[in-house]
Amino acid sequence: MAVDPVYEPLAPEVIANPYPFYRRLREINPVYWHTVLDSWVVTRYQECRQVLADTTHFGSDFRRAGIPIPETQLSVQSLDPPEHTAIRHLLVSALHEQPPAAMRQQVADIAAARLSELVGRAGTVDLVSDFARPVALRTISAFLGVPPPDGPTFEQWSNAIVRSMDAGLEPDRAEPGNQARAELSRMVGEWLRDAGEEGFIGVARATARRQDVPAAVLANSLRAVLHAGYESVSRLLGAVLVRLVADPGLLAGAATPHDTDSLVDELLRLDGPVQADARVCVTECAVGTQTVRRGDVLVLFIAAANRDPAVFAAPDAVDLSRRRGMHLAFGRGAHACLGAALATMQLREVVNALQASRIQFTPAGPSSYEPTATLRGVAQLPVTVRQE
């Protein structure tokens, strides 16, 4: 097995900027065995896409390889077809029931209102805590049709879940994450109990009853929608804001709706928060030049694949002429992110709101990043705000 003992995902220099390390891994060992993670690490686009799309040889449901999964983790994210198919279709149907124009207007109004609040503030503003996080929480709550959860408590649970994604590196993170998942699922269960016939949760509940989807799987899956809709989107917005603060010309350069769509696609490719996803090998097969056996875990570095020069010319640059939709920010195959269209719409509306606001952000100190590897996120982004 090819082994690279140097790469440490939680090392401060990697947390600050993982992309040079990804580039090195792609060039030297695109499929190698990481002894600490006890898994294969995959960094090239071709192999990442292969594994994501192949549910015959690889699974998200680790039980298929004899590895147990806690009940709190049985959801649309961890089940494979055919169990996965029923819950995914249920959630997609509920999503399609939501009026897209109204959803876009909600996001636009929330983003514009938050930007207006920032303009009125004196001194330093943190674009993470003062914009990205509250916008993400309000938009996912509005989408689900529930009041926003209590901020500090929800933030504590959400952070525990994100940190537990790195339990392969720090095992002590696992149990607090499982406890937080259980708490969020109980909260979602209360929403399901009180839901009416309309709204995303109401439609999901009614459909689940008709299709006999287990109550725990439904609650866990809606918890996953809530958590991803908050953490992934808030971290995406934070990463995008870091780039736009550093290079405000990017907004000015997106002069048409087509350009804006291309900018959004490039920001998703370059700054998507999901750094890695995991699969388990169900049936022995080849990945790259390596033979992967049943029970082996593969960690797919999506963020590395999205900057693979074999697929993306000048991969570290924003290129509005690049073909859209090639990146793996939302995965591929049966487990492709079901909220991809929603997240893309949210980012597009935030970009539109920033363009319309004519706000200028000036850095007021260095940005910093959360000590997490699987889901990357900006911890602080201090700026001063001025409107032209």
Side-chain angles (χ1 to χ4, degrees):
M1 292 182 179
V3 177
D4 186 336
V6 176
Y7 174 61
E8 299 180 19
L10 293 178
E13 62 273 21
V14 179
I15 293 295
N17 183 12
Y19 301 106
F21 296 89
Y22 296 160
R23 181 171 61 249
R24 174 177 173 272
L25 296 179
R26 275 195 318 265
E27 293 171 352
I28 299 175
N29 288 329
V31 182
Y32 80 98
W33 185 260
H34 194 289
T35 54
V36 176
L37 286 172
D38 195 29
S39 65
W40 295 98
V41 165
V42 185
T43 51
R44 214 160 46 185
Y45 182 95
Q46 178 181 344
E47 288 83 6
C48 284
R49 181 162 181 160
Q50 169 198 345
V51 175
L52 287 171
D54 183 355
T55 56
T56 299
H57 292 92
F58 307 100
S60 293
D61 190 341
F62 281 39
R63 296 174 303 174
R64 293 172 63 196
I67 301 173
I69 301 177
E71 185 176 347
T72 56
Q73 294 186 28
L74 293 178
S75 73
V76 68
Q77 292 178 324
S78 61
L79 297 173
D80 283 333
E83 291 176 282
H84 169 269
T85 306
I87 185 64
R88 183 179 178 89
H89 283 177
L90 181 156
L91 296 173
V92 169
S93 295
L95 174 62
H96 288 166
E97 288 289 324
Q98 310 312 305
M103 289 166 52
R104 285 195 300 272
Q105 191 60 53
Q106 275 186 325
V107 175
D109 291 345
I110 290 169
R114 199 69 190 182
L115 287 172
S116 295
E117 292 178 20
L118 297 186
V119 171
R121 296 191 187 183
T124 301
V125 166
D126 178 9
L127 287 180
V128 176
S129 61
D130 293 329
F131 183 78
R133 288 177 183 161
V135 166
L137 187 56
R138 286 194 61 193
T139 53
I140 190 60
S141 300
F143 169 71
L144 292 174
V146 298
D150 174 70
T153 301
F154 178 77
E155 187 73 28
Q156 181 181 355
W157 291 339
S158 186
N159 188 54
I161 293 173
V162 174
R163 289 175 62 84
S164 74
M165 296 175 185
D166 298 327
L169 299 165
E170 293 189 355
D172 289 348
R173 295 185 178 194
E175 186 53 32
N178 286 332
Q179 293 175 6
R181 288 183 180 91
E183 293 291 347
L184 280 183
S185 289
R186 277 194 285 271
M187 184 175 71
V188 170
E190 294 175 2
W191 291 343
L192 281 166
R193 182 194 63 206
D194 299 334
E197 296 297 320
E198 298 180 351
F200 185 85
I201 287 183
V203 173
R205 183 184 68 169
T207 306
R209 287 175 174 172
R210 292 195 300 270
Q211 297 183 359
D212 199 26
V213 173
V217 171
L218 175 62
N220 291 344
S221 297
L222 290 173
R223 178 206 70 217
V225 172
L226 166 66
H227 187 253
Y230 171 66
E231 281 292 355
S232 294
V233 170
S234 66
R235 288 170 183 248
L236 171 63
L237 294 180
V240 164
L241 286 165
V242 167
R243 185 175 291 273
L244 296 181
V245 168
D247 186 2
L250 288 173
L251 282 178
T256 68
H258 181 275
D259 289 342
T260 299
D261 287 343
S262 295
L263 175 61
V264 165
D265 198 68
E266 280 287 83
L267 294 173
L268 286 164
R269 179 182 69 84
L270 288 164
D271 298 317
V274 178
Q275 300 293 286
D277 201 358
R279 296 290 188 271
V280 67
C281 180
V282 178
T283 304
E284 182 176 311
C285 69
V287 178
T289 60
Q290 303 294 339
T291 298
V292 180
R293 294 176 173 83
R294 185 176 190 273
D296 286 355
V297 176
L298 301 94
V299 179
L300 314 174
F301 275 79
I302 304 302
N306 282 342
R307 298 192 185 208
D308 187 340
V311 179
F312 306 101
D316 298 324
V318 174
D319 181 356
L320 299 188
S321 67
R322 201 185 304 275
R323 178 184 171 187
R324 297 203 295 262
M326 290 291 292
H327 61 74
L328 303 178
F330 296 122
R332 276 293 190 277
H335 283 278
C337 176
L338 61 88
L342 180 62
T344 301
M345 179 272 287
Q346 287 176 272
L347 180 53
R348 184 187 302 111
E349 292 304 322
V350 167
V351 167
N352 288 337
L354 288 168
Q355 290 174 319
S357 70
R358 303 185 67 82
I359 287 177
Q360 291 186 344
F361 299 122
T362 302
S367 58
S368 61
Y369 285 83
E370 300 282 358
T372 53
T374 302
L375 201 62
R376 190 166 191 248
V378 184
Q380 292 181 319
L381 178 54
V383 298
T384 57
V385 181
R386 182 173 66 87
Q387 191 168 36
E388 294 180 356

